mmCIF file of all heavy atoms in Angstrom:
data_model
loop_
_atom_site.group_PDB
_atom_site.id
_atom_site.type_symbol
_atom_site.label_atom_id
_atom_site.label_comp_id
_atom_site.label_asym_id
_atom_site.label_seq_id
_atom_site.Cartn_x
_atom_site.Cartn_y
_atom_site.Cartn_z
ATOM 1 N N ALA A 221 22.761 177.108 83.540
ATOM 2 C CA ALA A 221 22.874 175.655 83.369
ATOM 3 C C ALA A 221 23.434 175.371 81.985
ATOM 4 O O ALA A 221 23.026 175.984 80.997
ATOM 5 C CB ALA A 221 21.503 174.988 83.520
ATOM 6 N N LEU A 222 24.382 174.468 81.935
ATOM 7 C CA LEU A 222 25.001 174.048 80.685
ATOM 8 C C LEU A 222 24.448 172.654 80.401
ATOM 9 O O LEU A 222 24.582 171.756 81.233
ATOM 10 C CB LEU A 222 26.507 173.985 80.926
ATOM 11 C CG LEU A 222 27.482 174.100 79.775
ATOM 12 C CD1 LEU A 222 27.213 175.351 78.960
ATOM 13 C CD2 LEU A 222 28.889 174.160 80.361
ATOM 14 N N VAL A 223 23.787 172.493 79.252
ATOM 15 C CA VAL A 223 23.062 171.255 78.960
ATOM 16 C C VAL A 223 23.517 170.688 77.632
ATOM 17 O O VAL A 223 23.637 171.425 76.640
ATOM 18 C CB VAL A 223 21.537 171.513 78.936
ATOM 19 C CG1 VAL A 223 20.771 170.284 78.528
ATOM 20 C CG2 VAL A 223 21.053 171.994 80.305
ATOM 21 N N LEU A 224 23.781 169.387 77.622
ATOM 22 C CA LEU A 224 24.258 168.716 76.402
ATOM 23 C C LEU A 224 23.196 167.725 75.952
ATOM 24 O O LEU A 224 22.686 166.946 76.744
ATOM 25 C CB LEU A 224 25.544 167.978 76.773
ATOM 26 C CG LEU A 224 26.320 167.254 75.698
ATOM 27 C CD1 LEU A 224 26.798 168.235 74.642
ATOM 28 C CD2 LEU A 224 27.520 166.567 76.344
ATOM 29 N N LYS A 225 22.858 167.775 74.676
ATOM 30 C CA LYS A 225 21.860 166.865 74.121
ATOM 31 C C LYS A 225 22.570 165.930 73.139
ATOM 32 O O LYS A 225 23.339 166.387 72.306
ATOM 33 C CB LYS A 225 20.824 167.703 73.372
ATOM 34 C CG LYS A 225 19.513 167.018 73.144
ATOM 35 C CD LYS A 225 18.656 167.844 72.215
ATOM 36 C CE LYS A 225 17.715 168.762 72.964
ATOM 37 N NZ LYS A 225 16.750 169.401 72.039
ATOM 38 N N HIS A 226 22.322 164.645 73.255
ATOM 39 C CA HIS A 226 23.014 163.668 72.409
ATOM 40 C C HIS A 226 22.079 163.125 71.342
ATOM 41 O O HIS A 226 20.894 163.000 71.570
ATOM 42 C CB HIS A 226 23.498 162.470 73.231
ATOM 43 C CG HIS A 226 24.454 162.840 74.321
ATOM 44 N ND1 HIS A 226 25.058 161.915 75.103
ATOM 45 C CD2 HIS A 226 24.895 164.036 74.740
ATOM 46 C CE1 HIS A 226 25.836 162.526 75.978
ATOM 47 N NE2 HIS A 226 25.747 163.811 75.780
ATOM 48 N N LYS A 227 22.632 162.767 70.210
ATOM 49 C CA LYS A 227 21.828 162.218 69.130
ATOM 50 C C LYS A 227 21.459 160.771 69.423
ATOM 51 O O LYS A 227 20.357 160.327 69.200
ATOM 52 C CB LYS A 227 22.620 162.292 67.821
ATOM 53 C CG LYS A 227 21.775 162.097 66.603
ATOM 54 C CD LYS A 227 22.625 162.140 65.348
ATOM 55 C CE LYS A 227 22.984 163.553 64.956
ATOM 56 N NZ LYS A 227 23.955 163.596 63.859
ATOM 57 N N VAL A 228 22.409 160.020 69.938
ATOM 58 C CA VAL A 228 22.197 158.623 70.266
ATOM 59 C C VAL A 228 22.677 158.502 71.705
ATOM 60 O O VAL A 228 23.599 159.211 72.112
ATOM 61 C CB VAL A 228 23.065 157.698 69.366
ATOM 62 C CG1 VAL A 228 22.799 156.237 69.680
ATOM 63 C CG2 VAL A 228 22.793 157.988 67.906
ATOM 64 N N PHE A 229 22.061 157.629 72.466
ATOM 65 C CA PHE A 229 22.411 157.515 73.867
ATOM 66 C C PHE A 229 23.939 157.401 74.026
ATOM 67 O O PHE A 229 24.553 156.533 73.428
ATOM 68 C CB PHE A 229 21.721 156.294 74.483
ATOM 69 C CG PHE A 229 21.308 156.553 75.884
ATOM 70 C CD1 PHE A 229 20.099 157.199 76.146
ATOM 71 C CD2 PHE A 229 22.118 156.196 76.927
ATOM 72 C CE1 PHE A 229 19.717 157.458 77.444
ATOM 73 C CE2 PHE A 229 21.740 156.464 78.222
ATOM 74 C CZ PHE A 229 20.539 157.089 78.494
ATOM 75 N N HIS A 230 24.516 158.261 74.842
ATOM 76 C CA HIS A 230 25.952 158.261 75.141
ATOM 77 C C HIS A 230 26.858 158.564 73.963
ATOM 78 O O HIS A 230 28.055 158.384 74.050
ATOM 79 C CB HIS A 230 26.398 156.927 75.758
ATOM 80 C CG HIS A 230 25.823 156.696 77.115
ATOM 81 N ND1 HIS A 230 25.951 157.616 78.117
ATOM 82 C CD2 HIS A 230 25.133 155.669 77.611
ATOM 83 C CE1 HIS A 230 25.351 157.152 79.191
ATOM 84 N NE2 HIS A 230 24.825 155.979 78.915
ATOM 85 N N ARG A 231 26.302 158.968 72.822
ATOM 86 C CA ARG A 231 27.175 159.209 71.668
ATOM 87 C C ARG A 231 26.713 160.412 70.863
ATOM 88 O O ARG A 231 25.585 160.855 71.009
ATOM 89 C CB ARG A 231 27.194 157.966 70.775
ATOM 90 C CG ARG A 231 27.943 156.808 71.429
ATOM 91 C CD ARG A 231 27.787 155.539 70.642
ATOM 92 N NE ARG A 231 28.268 155.707 69.292
ATOM 93 C CZ ARG A 231 27.828 154.971 68.288
ATOM 94 N NH1 ARG A 231 26.929 154.065 68.469
ATOM 95 N NH2 ARG A 231 28.312 155.160 67.072
ATOM 96 N N GLU A 232 27.599 160.900 70.006
ATOM 97 C CA GLU A 232 27.266 161.930 69.023
ATOM 98 C C GLU A 232 26.472 163.088 69.595
ATOM 99 O O GLU A 232 25.261 163.143 69.472
ATOM 100 C CB GLU A 232 26.464 161.313 67.875
ATOM 101 C CG GLU A 232 27.337 160.577 66.901
ATOM 102 C CD GLU A 232 26.550 160.267 65.632
ATOM 103 O OE1 GLU A 232 26.030 161.227 65.037
ATOM 104 O OE2 GLU A 232 26.472 159.104 65.265
ATOM 105 N N TYR A 233 27.149 164.005 70.219
ATOM 106 C CA TYR A 233 26.493 165.177 70.760
ATOM 107 C C TYR A 233 25.973 166.035 69.629
ATOM 108 O O TYR A 233 26.652 166.244 68.642
ATOM 109 C CB TYR A 233 27.484 166.001 71.599
ATOM 110 C CG TYR A 233 28.237 165.149 72.568
ATOM 111 C CD1 TYR A 233 29.563 165.394 72.866
ATOM 112 C CD2 TYR A 233 27.606 164.067 73.172
ATOM 113 C CE1 TYR A 233 30.255 164.601 73.751
ATOM 114 C CE2 TYR A 233 28.287 163.262 74.060
ATOM 115 C CZ TYR A 233 29.617 163.536 74.347
ATOM 116 O OH TYR A 233 30.289 162.751 75.214
ATOM 117 N N THR A 234 24.760 166.529 69.735
ATOM 118 C CA THR A 234 24.252 167.370 68.659
ATOM 119 C C THR A 234 24.006 168.801 69.100
ATOM 120 O O THR A 234 23.897 169.669 68.271
ATOM 121 C CB THR A 234 22.937 166.824 68.088
ATOM 122 O OG1 THR A 234 22.016 166.668 69.151
ATOM 123 C CG2 THR A 234 23.151 165.513 67.399
ATOM 124 N N GLN A 235 23.892 169.021 70.387
ATOM 125 C CA GLN A 235 23.553 170.370 70.798
ATOM 126 C C GLN A 235 24.079 170.662 72.200
ATOM 127 O O GLN A 235 23.996 169.812 73.080
ATOM 128 C CB GLN A 235 22.037 170.526 70.783
ATOM 129 C CG GLN A 235 21.569 171.936 71.045
ATOM 130 C CD GLN A 235 20.064 172.022 71.140
ATOM 131 O OE1 GLN A 235 19.352 171.665 70.212
ATOM 132 N NE2 GLN A 235 19.578 172.470 72.258
ATOM 133 N N VAL A 236 24.609 171.849 72.368
ATOM 134 C CA VAL A 236 24.927 172.333 73.717
ATOM 135 C C VAL A 236 24.082 173.576 73.926
ATOM 136 O O VAL A 236 23.991 174.424 73.025
ATOM 137 C CB VAL A 236 26.424 172.719 73.858
ATOM 138 C CG1 VAL A 236 26.692 173.319 75.234
ATOM 139 C CG2 VAL A 236 27.321 171.515 73.632
ATOM 140 N N ALA A 237 23.425 173.676 75.058
ATOM 141 C CA ALA A 237 22.624 174.862 75.324
ATOM 142 C C ALA A 237 23.051 175.461 76.648
ATOM 143 O O ALA A 237 23.433 174.763 77.573
ATOM 144 C CB ALA A 237 21.139 174.513 75.364
ATOM 145 N N LEU A 238 22.995 176.783 76.697
ATOM 146 C CA LEU A 238 23.237 177.504 77.934
ATOM 147 C C LEU A 238 21.906 178.098 78.379
ATOM 148 O O LEU A 238 21.273 178.834 77.624
ATOM 149 C CB LEU A 238 24.253 178.629 77.714
ATOM 150 C CG LEU A 238 24.479 179.546 78.917
ATOM 151 C CD1 LEU A 238 25.140 178.800 80.072
ATOM 152 C CD2 LEU A 238 25.315 180.753 78.523
ATOM 153 N N TYR A 239 21.465 177.732 79.567
ATOM 154 C CA TYR A 239 20.220 178.264 80.112
ATOM 155 C C TYR A 239 20.536 179.242 81.228
ATOM 156 O O TYR A 239 21.504 179.051 81.972
ATOM 157 C CB TYR A 239 19.347 177.126 80.661
ATOM 158 C CG TYR A 239 18.729 176.279 79.571
ATOM 159 C CD1 TYR A 239 19.414 175.209 79.003
ATOM 160 C CD2 TYR A 239 17.457 176.564 79.097
ATOM 161 C CE1 TYR A 239 18.852 174.444 77.992
ATOM 162 C CE2 TYR A 239 16.886 175.801 78.091
ATOM 163 C CZ TYR A 239 17.568 174.749 77.549
ATOM 164 O OH TYR A 239 17.018 174.000 76.546
ATOM 165 N N ALA A 240 19.701 180.281 81.310
ATOM 166 C CA ALA A 240 19.857 181.259 82.383
ATOM 167 C C ALA A 240 18.501 181.514 82.998
ATOM 168 O O ALA A 240 17.473 181.295 82.364
ATOM 169 C CB ALA A 240 20.448 182.546 81.835
ATOM 170 N N ARG A 241 18.496 181.984 84.220
ATOM 171 C CA ARG A 241 17.225 182.241 84.901
ATOM 172 C C ARG A 241 16.580 183.538 84.423
ATOM 173 O O ARG A 241 15.422 183.807 84.737
ATOM 174 C CB ARG A 241 17.445 182.305 86.414
ATOM 175 C CG ARG A 241 17.737 180.953 87.067
ATOM 176 C CD ARG A 241 16.550 180.005 86.989
ATOM 177 N NE ARG A 241 16.713 178.851 87.860
ATOM 178 C CZ ARG A 241 15.842 177.847 87.945
ATOM 179 N NH1 ARG A 241 14.751 177.853 87.191
ATOM 180 N NH2 ARG A 241 16.040 176.839 88.760
ATOM 181 N N SER A 242 17.317 184.348 83.697
ATOM 182 C CA SER A 242 16.770 185.603 83.208
ATOM 183 C C SER A 242 17.045 185.689 81.703
ATOM 184 O O SER A 242 18.004 185.089 81.219
ATOM 185 C CB SER A 242 17.413 186.768 83.962
ATOM 186 O OG SER A 242 17.977 187.700 83.079
ATOM 187 N N PRO A 243 16.200 186.429 80.931
ATOM 188 C CA PRO A 243 16.426 186.515 79.485
ATOM 189 C C PRO A 243 17.599 187.417 79.117
ATOM 190 O O PRO A 243 18.015 187.453 77.958
ATOM 191 C CB PRO A 243 15.100 187.102 78.955
ATOM 192 C CG PRO A 243 14.474 187.802 80.108
ATOM 193 C CD PRO A 243 14.969 187.102 81.362
ATOM 194 N N ARG A 244 18.134 188.150 80.091
ATOM 195 C CA ARG A 244 19.259 189.047 79.793
ATOM 196 C C ARG A 244 20.516 188.225 79.490
ATOM 197 O O ARG A 244 20.648 187.104 79.980
ATOM 198 C CB ARG A 244 19.547 189.943 80.992
ATOM 199 C CG ARG A 244 18.484 190.989 81.248
ATOM 200 C CD ARG A 244 18.912 191.892 82.395
ATOM 201 N NE ARG A 244 19.183 191.146 83.614
ATOM 202 C CZ ARG A 244 18.236 190.797 84.486
ATOM 203 N NH1 ARG A 244 16.985 191.128 84.269
ATOM 204 N NH2 ARG A 244 18.541 190.112 85.564
#
Side-chain angles (χ1 to χ4, degrees):
L222 203 54
V223 175
L224 184 62
K225 200 189 266 189
H226 300 184
K227 195 182 282 172
V228 182
F229 216 84
H230 293 307
R231 289 172 58 206
E232 281 193 56
Y233 311 144
T234 55
Q235 187 185 301
V236 176
L238 174 66
Y239 287 86
R241 288 295 193 182
S242 126
R244 290 184 302 276

